């Protein structure tokens, strides 16, 4: 099975997939617990507008997505702060506006439909060296932020309001978390595609939370689940010629089901 | 000696609705203030203003002579919110981890816990008799037990002011009695206390001042003065003072009576 690693494109796919999986699944634990799980989807929609704009103006779609997702995610925070809307409505407003821009551009200039598909559904086997390096840098930043701000992030995740009375800069940390999520979503565009980008944020975290571990162990479990799904997904996709992104996401779904079974079995054993 | 808390001419609106109007009062070191008022009278809002969570449209708040917008000594204030956030039962956190977060207010940038913080967490949990639950998951505790954990979180920094917003909601009678005794002890040790309560009778013996709020500050003074005012004749907050401690049947759950063991 190791012979697939002899191909350079496979090595890049594995490395990029693994580091993106780690970044997504770690952020996911915080986002899911704060009921911000859908922000990943929102940012993916926003990025779609950026990709289309990029293609239209002949800028690298990656940068189009990056700029759109950064502005869009800050916009979400802003709308949430300025209006009394809940986070999900704020996400909806910004993401659908950007999605609208993307679809509008596509309909006006309909020459690049094929390119757009690779962004929607991922193209991990065509990842460039530079994209791999960027993904690694991104994952290192995510891990560093979580390491250095662990206690504060834990506190605001549990109880944001009271955390303010501890002198924790909740506004700064929220912005940091959302911006990192935006970067990570754009980074995962090539791995699983925008359609499934938020799956690596939600599913591993949701599965890990079923295991009833401590907070730190939940973070590790989430990362392990995500990395396993990427490794196994790439392997299966290569062996059987499946779509990579779909395989990765389905494996995550299977993991989630397995955690449910584990929970049932465990509670049955305890009852005995 | 200056006032610990000084509230000057505070008004606060949510949108166009005025919730607090021209509030003036000050709290001295060692005071035990009972903040009362009907639902929606602005008690929680006033407390959030005190904590700097809201900014007043008019007026100023000073703590230890320092304007709240410049205040940064958060370890000196312990806060127990009215409702803990609606965290889910599956939240992966132990009691210890929750209590430790309270000590973040004494730390600067990149806050890490020291072994002393772990000792302080245990000590704070002992004060609310929850030390046996140190390693339990917060979601597995009952509502009252969770509330005690949040009180421990507020106590971990040995604050100078303790601000409690209906802290005993969902806490059983016996624990309430112990809890109020604890507040009394802390107060005697010099900690000033502000407590929102719908049932001052329980704290009657200990409260030094009553603040009665209903958008405006209707009354601020001693509990005795409050109850001797004709408007407050039938206030349930005054029943104990009016009738004394007759520890007969329906009152047997009152702290004073439980102590005297006449029931
Ligand atoms: N976030 C908010 N947005 C708009 N109005 C609010 C908000 N929070 C509170 N209010 C309003 O402000 C008023 C005061 O609310 P507050 O929570 O301070 O009352 P309270 O005295 O603490 O009541 P309770 O005894 O029910 O806890 C109420 O009329 C309430 O509807
Ligand atoms: Mg209230």
């Amino acid at each position: 099975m190791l012979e697939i690693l002899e191909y350079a494109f496979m090595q890049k796919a594995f490395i990029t997939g693994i580091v993106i999986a780690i970044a997504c699944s770690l952020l996911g634990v915080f986002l899911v617990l704060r009921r911000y799980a859908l922000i990943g989807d929102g940012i993916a929609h926003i990025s779609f507008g950026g990709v289309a704009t990029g293609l239209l103006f002949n800028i690298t779609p990656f940068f189009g997505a990056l700029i759109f997702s950064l502005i869009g995610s800050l916009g979400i925070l802003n709308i949430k702060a300025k209006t009394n809307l809940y986070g999900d409505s704020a996400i909806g407003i910004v993401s659908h506006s950007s999605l609208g821009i993307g679809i509008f551009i596509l309909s006006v200039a309909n020459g690049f439909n094929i390119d757009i598909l690779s962004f929607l559904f991922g193209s991990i086997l065509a990842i460039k060296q530079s994209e791999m390096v960027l993904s690694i840098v991104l994952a290192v930043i995510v891990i560093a932020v979580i390491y250095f701000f662990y206690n504060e992030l834990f506190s605001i995740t549990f109880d944001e309001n009271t955390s303010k009375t501890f002198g924790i800069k909740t506004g700064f940390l929220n912005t940091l978390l959302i911006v990192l999520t935006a970067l990570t979503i754009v980074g995962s565009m090539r791995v699983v595609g925008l359609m499934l980008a938020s799956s690596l944020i939600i599913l591993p975290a949701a599965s890990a939370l079923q295991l009833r571990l401590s907070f730190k162990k939940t973070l590790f479990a989430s990362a392990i689940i995500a990395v396993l799904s990427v490794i196994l997904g790439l392997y299966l996709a290569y062996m059987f010629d499946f779509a990579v992104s779909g395989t990765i996401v389905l494996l995550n779904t299977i993991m989630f089901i397995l955690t449910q079974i584990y929970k049932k079995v465990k509670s049955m054993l305890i009852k005995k | 000696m200056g006032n610990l808390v000084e509230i000057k001419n505070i008004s606060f609106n949510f949108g166009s609705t005025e919730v607090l109007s021209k509030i003036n009062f000050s709290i001295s070191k060692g005071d035990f203030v009972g903040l009362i008022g009907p639902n929606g009278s602005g008690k929680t809002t006033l407390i959030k203003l005190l904590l700097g969570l809201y900014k007043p449209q008019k007026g100023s708040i000073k703590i230890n002579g320092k304007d709240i917008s410049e205040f940064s000594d958060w370890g000196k204030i312990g806060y127990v919110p009215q409702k803990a956030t609606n965290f889910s039962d599956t939240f992966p956190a132990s009691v210890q981890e929750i209590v430790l977060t309270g000590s973040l207010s004494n730390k600067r940038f990149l806050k890490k816990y020291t072994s002393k913080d772990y000792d302080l967490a245990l000590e704070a949990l002992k004060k609310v008799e929850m030390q046996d639950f140190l390693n339990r998951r917060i979601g597995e505790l009952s509502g009252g037990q969770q509330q005690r954990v949040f009180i421990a979180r507020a106590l971990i920094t040995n604050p100078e002011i303790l601000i409690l917003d209906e802290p005993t909601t969902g806490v059983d009678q016996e624990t309430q009695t112990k809890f109020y005794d604890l507040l009394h002890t802390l107060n005697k040790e010099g900690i000033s206390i502000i407590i929102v309560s719908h049932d001052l009778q329980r704290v009657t013996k200990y409260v030094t001042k009553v603040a009665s709020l209903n958008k405006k500050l209707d009354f601020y003074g001693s509990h005795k003065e409050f109850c001797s005012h004709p408007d407050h004749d039938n206030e349930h907050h005054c029943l104990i003072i009016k009738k004394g401690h007759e520890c007969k049947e329906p009152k047997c759950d009152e702290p004073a009576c439980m102590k005297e063991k006449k029931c």
Side-chain angles (χ1 to χ4, degrees), chain B residues 68-122:
Chain B
I68 189 73
S69 57
E70 289 158 25
F71 186 82
S72 61
D73 231 347
W74 294 109
K76 293 201 169 142
I77 302 182
Y79 169 50
V80 181
Q82 179 166 12
K83 269 191 318 221
T85 48
N86 44 350
F87 62 89
S88 88
D89 283 351
T90 56
F91 198 100
S94 69
V95 165
Q96 183 182 46
E97 287 173 300
I98 301 295
V99 175
L100 276 170
T101 60
S103 71
L104 292 174
S105 49
N106 272 343
K107 299 177 190 297
R108 306 233 162 268
F109 205 57
L110 301 180
K111 310 169 179 220
K112 295 284 167 205
Y113 301 131
T114 61
S115 61
K116 191 172 167 234
D117 293 324
Y118 286 87
D119 296 342
L120 288 172
L122 186 63

Side-chain angles (χ1 to χ4, degrees), chain B residues 38-45 82 165-166 196 198:
Chain B
N39 289 134
S41 56
K43 303 182 295 294
T44 298
T45 307
Q82 179 166 12
D165 197 347
E166 294 181 46
V196 173
H198 278 294

